[in-house]
């Protein structure tokens, strides 16, 4: 019986570092998204409760009892539009941070799971980039969950207009 290692060329067992890093990055991101999928029962209420309460009180209850901020008519509509935009932005930012920071505390703490991530075949900085990517994806999922609140709850009309080119242009001029 021949030794199996003599039949296999060493180049067949290795792969380029770039390809290994991309595979490890995808695996870490897939793991974090799988954890999100399994913890949706916690993620959805955490995401929707505060935005629902803010919109319910300021854009439904106050206008219904005659205490709407901005008066009535166009002022109330402008306030509701600004409120929804702010709540949406707040939700995206905070859910993106919470979805990374809270699990990261556990990983650094007692379980020491962060060591598994750092030992992955990619630079340590890319582990951070993966966490940031995961937070951005969680923030976008949170935004998708909050949009129905903006459409259903307010008693006054909401006119959200998103101009992506203007957002990108403003971002690039500040850099």
């Amino acid at each position: 019986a021949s030794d199996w290692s003599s039949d296999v060329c060493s180049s067949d067992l290795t792969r380029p570092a770039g390809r290994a890093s991309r595979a490890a990055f995808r695996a870490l991101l897939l793991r974090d998204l799988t954890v999100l999928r399994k913890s949706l029962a916690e993620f959805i209420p955490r995401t929707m409760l505060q935005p629902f309460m803010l919109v319910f009180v300021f854009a439904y209850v106050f206008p219904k009892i005659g205490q709407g901020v901005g008066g009535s008519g166009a002022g109330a509509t402008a306030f509701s539009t600004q409120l929804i935009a702010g709540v949406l932005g707040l939700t995206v930012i905070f859910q993106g941070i919470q979805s990374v920071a809270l699990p990261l505390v556990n990983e650094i703490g007692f379980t020491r799971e962060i060591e598994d991530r750092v030992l992955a075949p990619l630079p340590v900085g890319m582990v951070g980039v993966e966490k940031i990517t995961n937070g951005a994806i969680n923030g976008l999922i949170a935004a998708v969950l909050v949009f129905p609140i903006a459409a259903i709850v307010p008693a006054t009309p909401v006119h959200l207009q998103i101009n992506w080119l203007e957002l990108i242009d403003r971002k690039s001029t500040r850099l």
Side-chain angles (χ1 to χ4, degrees):
S2 67
D3 186 7
W4 68 271
S5 61
S6 63
D7 296 336
V8 178
C9 180
S10 65
S11 64
D12 292 338
L13 298 175
T14 61
R15 60 180 164 180
R19 202 167 74 189
S21 291
R22 285 190 297 276
F25 183 87
R26 282 192 304 269
L28 288 175
L29 188 59
L30 184 61
R31 182 212 177 267
D32 285 340
L33 293 175
T34 301
V35 168
L36 173 66
R37 184 177 51 87
K38 290 183 178 183
S39 63
L40 277 177
E42 298 167 6
F43 180 78
I44 291 173
R46 182 179 73 210
T47 300
M48 296 184 74
L49 193 60
Q50 182 184 18
F52 175 76
M53 293 305 292
L54 285 170
V55 172
F56 180 71
V57 169
F58 289 107
Y60 182 80
V61 173
F62 281 2
K64 287 290 188 181
I65 63 173
Q67 300 296 318
V69 179
S72 61
T77 299
F79 174 76
S80 291
T81 301
Q82 287 180 345
L83 176 75
I84 297 297
V87 166
L88 187 63
L90 201 117
T91 301
V92 168
I93 294 295
F94 281 127
Q95 289 308 315
I97 291 170
Q98 282 181 344
S99 66
V100 172
L102 296 177
L104 192 59
V105 168
N106 290 335
E107 291 172 2
I108 292 173
F110 178 72
T111 61
R112 310 289 286 175
E113 290 179 28
I114 194 71
E115 293 173 358
D116 296 340
R117 314 271 186 298
V118 176
L119 291 174
L122 73 156
V124 174
M126 289 303 291
V127 174
V129 170
E130 184 276 330
K131 291 292 184 188
I132 292 168
T133 304
N134 179 45
I137 291 170
N138 284 314
L140 291 174
I141 293 169
V144 168
L145 291 174
V146 172
F147 268 118
I149 293 173
I152 297 169
V153 174
T156 55
V158 175
H159 304 290
L160 286 179
Q161 297 174 356
I162 300 171
N163 185 345
W164 292 106
L165 293 176
E166 185 176 326
L167 291 173
I168 292 169
D169 184 47
R170 286 187 183 186
K171 174 105 172 125
S172 64
T173 57
R174 290 184 187 168
L175 298 175

